[in-house]
Each structure stands twice: as structure tokens, then as C-alpha cells.
Amino acid sequence: MKPPSTSGSPRAAVPLLLLCLAVLAAAGCGGGATGSGGNGVTVWMYPVIMDPKANAAYWDGVEKGFERAHPGTDLRIEQQPWANRDQKLATALGGGKGPDVVLLAPDQIPQYQANGVLRPVDRALGKARAAFRPTALAAMTQDGELYAAPIYHTVTSTLYNRRLLAKAGIKEPPATWAALKAAAPKLKRAGVATLDYSASGEASLNMSFYPLLWQAGGRVFDGSGKKTAFSGREGVEALTFLVRLYREGAVPRSALTNANLFTDQALGRQQVAMGYTNTPADAALAAQAWGKGNVIVGPALAGPRKRVGFGMPGGLGINAASRNTAGAEKFVAYMAAPAQIASLGRAGGFFSPRTDVTVPGTGAHAKEYEAALAYAFPGEPHRAARQVQALLAPEIQAALTGEKSPREALAAAAEAGDALLARQR
């Protein structure tokens, strides 16, 4: 993803959502009003497995396996595109239509729960709930109830180009802000930028600015959820750190248009020595582009107050308007069972959201990413999370380009964000 969720890959994939208007259903979008009805269960799934053929084959196998386990139930898994998924799903659920079950990311749950279009899945998990990672459950919980059952977990961490570090005479990969700042002048003298960053409006802040904010000890929203908190001392410290690196050339100028696509960004092109929100898929691509010996995966980047990186579960939620709740709950329970958690993890390169299931990593750096799960934070679910990101992203760009100071940029975004939150109360 990057997922992140990371976008069709785990990095890019930091999941959003879908829809199907009745008009589009006739055109092949699928998912009639409130699923299949009767004994049928309709699921909206996204291309979480990068290879399209492997993705189709995996879910075809799930359909057959579930129907064998539950004779008489007709399961239909409809593959939906990542593009415009929020708009599509919001329209479908808001109109009392859409699938019985849908793949959700944590930041989608608050809005849909507030609108009453999701049904809690606590009953589907039952006693198995105790086997899941507490952080995975917390990410999918709203007002004390679980609204999506985790079926996979993503993780990001630091990724270094050994050849570029060696070119600058750096033997120890910089794993803290202080070490990063110390390495920057050496890398600059070697003609290399230090840290990759994604400032494009297309990039999720969970994969760019927010990890720096959390590393500084800050938060996006205050404890009440009624005001933003990113413009405080910690936020100013995080953005000042980023801006200084950018102005000194340690963050490449391409950051302004970087949209978290590894092969198209400076890190993938070997123009910068490290990234800090990179997925296992990125590490695999780096091995192909740089050579296996040049890939280093380290722990999550540590700021002045915390070592933390972004990583989140993906889970299955149930449409409150489903006409086959019992069938939907059976499917959720089926996919949350150990066998399916393991098979999806192997097929998609994911990690397990359960403590009693370990997905054998096949990548060269599986152990490093498994260890990074200890520092994975799923973000701050809030019904206005994506709207606030849209307000903050251009202000971060304004700070990078020098139009505003970090304090001014964050204050402007906070003013707009707080006004937005006030209107939604």
C-alpha cells in the first residue's frame, strides 16, 4: 500500500471507498439495492492483491470455499476500482443500496457510522475477537462498537539505498531526526538528496506529514474530536523540520508533485537516499531497481518524542441496509478466521491482524517489516479526517515553497479545519 494502506498497492493503498448507483449497476457496476437479498451475499472488494490475475484467482477461490462451507448461500464478490471509491460507496450506502459487505479502511468508519449506514460486526467475530491485535480492533472501533473485522494489516517503515549512503561515507542508516539532519550535508556533498517526501494533493497525509507529526508527539485532532490539534508546538516543530530539509535540498524539489508512487519518485530513481513510509512492496521494487544488496529496511523513524510509523488494518464492514445480515455475518466470520487471514496474507503480502496467526513472510525483508508492526499507528479516525487533509495539504505546500512560515501555514489550516468541525456538530 504505498497501502496504505498504503492505493492499488499496499502503499498506495491506504484504502478509501465505493458506490453503485442503480444507473451504474445496469452498466455493469454491480451491487443492486442492499446486496443480493434472500440467500445471496454480495461483497465489494478492491484489488488488494497487486497482480490482477492473482487477485481475481484468489477471490474466485474464496467464493468457492465459502459456498462449500455454507451450502445454499450464493456469494458474489464484485471487484471494484480504487478510483472514486469514497464517492461511490457514500452514494450507495447513503441511498440504502450497495453490497451486503464491503472492505473498509479505519478512516472511513467514523463518517459511515455517524450516518447510520454500517452495522456493528461484534456478533460476527464473537469470542474470536480476543485473538486480534488490540490496535487493529481499536482502529475499527467507534463509540465502543466494532464496525469492521480486520482481515489484513499493512505496515510501513524506513527504506534506505545502501549504495547512496556509502557514496556519502555514511555507514549507519539515519534512524532518527537528529541522525537524518547530521547525514544531510554529507549526502548533499555526494550529490544526493536525503529524504523522500510526498507533498502532492493526491498523497494521503498518513503517508507523508502525519508520521512526522506523531513522531514529534503531536496529534491531528484534540481529545474531544471537536477541534484540530496539528497547529500546536509539536506540529510547528514537525513542519519546521520538513521545511528546513526541503530548503536545504535534503528533500528533493520533486516532493511537490510526488504522489507516493515508488517507481515514479526520487527514491525509486536513486536520487534520494531514504524514505520513511515505505511498504514491503516498495522494498521488493527497490531490490529490482537497485539490486538486492543495496536495499536496507530499518525501524520506524524516531522523532524527538516518539518512534512511530503508519500501518493500518483493512476490514470487512456490513451494510446496515443488508437484507441478509445473517449471511453477511457468516462471510465476515469466514474471512476473519485463521485460515483465510493466513491465505490472504500470503497472497497479498500482508501481515496478520491476529496474534494467533503468523503469515510466513516471503520477502527478503519480512522480518524487518514484522518488527515494524510494533510501531505501526493506523492514524486518527474521524468523520472529517479526509476533509481536514484536503485543507491541510495545500498549506504544507505553501510552507515548503516559502509562501508562508510553518506556523502561519498550520494556523491557516487549523482555522479552516476548526470552522469545518464546528459546522458538523
Side-chain angles (χ1 to χ4, degrees):
M1 1 140 8
K2 281 188 178 172
S5 283
T6 107
S7 344
S9 69
R11 174 182 182 88
V14 170
L16 292 137
L17 268 84
L18 320 130
L19 139 163
C20 251
L21 297 168
V23 181
L24 295 182
C29 183
T34 60
S36 302
N39 292 325
V41 176
T42 299
V43 179
W44 278 4
M45 184 51 60
Y46 302 86
V48 294
I49 300 170
M50 292 180 67
D51 181 88
K53 290 184 179 180
N55 188 64
Y58 177 81
W59 293 109
D60 181 62
V62 167
E63 283 187 349
K64 293 174 181 175
F66 178 80
E67 290 175 350
R68 283 195 300 268
H70 299 278
T73 301
D74 177 24
L75 176 64
R76 188 170 67 208
I77 300 178
E78 300 178 354
Q79 291 296 323
Q80 302 288 341
W82 290 115
N84 300 319
R85 58 196 180 277
D86 277 320
Q87 178 189 358
K88 291 179 179 180
L89 187 58
T91 304
L93 297 182
K97 302 182 184 297
D100 297 292
V101 179
V102 63
L103 181 71
L104 297 171
D107 64 349
Q108 296 170 315
I109 291 173
Q111 181 68 49
Y112 293 118
Q113 183 267 351
N115 292 342
V117 297
L118 291 179
R119 183 184 300 274
V121 300
D122 301 82
R123 192 167 60 184
L125 285 190
K127 294 181 180 179
R129 177 174 179 147
F132 285 80
R133 296 178 187 273
T135 53
L137 294 176
M140 300 299 197
T141 297
Q142 190 71 17
D143 294 338
E145 292 186 293
L146 188 67
Y147 282 92
I151 60 172
Y152 65 79
H153 209 296
T154 67
V155 65
T156 65
S157 199
T158 49
L159 179 63
Y160 305 89
N161 187 315
R162 187 191 305 273
R163 184 182 69 82
L164 297 184
L165 292 177
K167 184 179 179 181
I170 299 172
K171 296 181 180 179
E172 188 70 25
T176 67
W177 284 19
L180 196 156
K181 286 189 287 188
K186 299 177 183 178
L187 286 161
K188 186 174 183 178
R189 286 194 293 271
V192 179
T194 304
L195 184 71
D196 210 11
Y197 184 81
S198 300
S200 166
E202 299 174 26
S204 168
L205 294 186
N206 283 324
M207 300 289 285
S208 53
F209 179 66
Y210 285 169
L212 299 177
L213 175 66
W214 303 328
Q215 289 159 16
R219 290 184 56 85
V220 181
F221 301 98
D222 71 5
S224 71
K226 297 178 180 179
K227 296 193 71 175
T228 61
F230 54 73
S231 62
R233 175 176 59 86
E234 299 86 356
V236 173
E237 184 176 10
L239 187 52
T240 299
F241 169 72
L242 177 65
V243 167
R244 285 178 178 170
L245 290 175
Y246 179 80
R247 293 180 182 174
E248 293 168 0
V251 169
R253 294 294 182 262
S254 60
L256 294 177
T257 55
N258 187 350
N260 274 347
L261 298 175
F262 178 82
T263 53
D264 293 333
Q265 65 191 29
L267 183 61
R269 294 175 177 174
Q270 301 196 70
Q271 298 166 348
V272 64
M274 67 173 285
Y276 64 101
T277 58
N278 293 94
T279 67
D282 291 338
L285 290 172
Q288 296 175 13
W290 310 345
K292 294 181 180 179
N294 287 321
V295 178
I296 302 173
V297 174
L301 186 63
R305 294 170 193 86
K306 190 178 294 186
R307 184 182 298 280
V308 60
F310 177 68
M312 70 176 187
L316 297 177
I318 297 176
N319 188 345
S322 170
R323 292 200 298 261
N324 188 5
T325 302
E329 289 179 340
K330 289 178 182 178
F331 178 71
V332 170
Y334 178 83
M335 288 304 301
Q340 276 60 248
I341 294 287
S343 67
L344 179 57
R346 289 193 297 269
F350 297 116
F351 293 89
S352 172
R354 296 181 62 129
T355 58
D356 60 347
V357 176
T358 298
V359 179
T362 57
H365 300 281
K367 290 183 179 180
E368 290 94 328
Y369 277 108
E370 184 76 35
L373 276 172
Y375 304 103
F377 183 59
E380 300 176 43
H382 191 286
R383 62 182 300 181
R386 299 195 177 188
Q387 293 165 288
V388 169
Q389 282 199 34
L391 296 172
L392 179 54
E395 294 295 343
I396 291 175
Q397 279 210 349
L400 289 172
T401 58
E403 295 176 35
K404 296 180 181 179
S405 70
R407 188 179 301 277
E408 291 169 341
L410 293 177
E415 182 179 2
D418 291 343
L420 169 69
L421 297 179
R423 292 195 297 271
Q424 294 186 349
R425 290 177 197 167

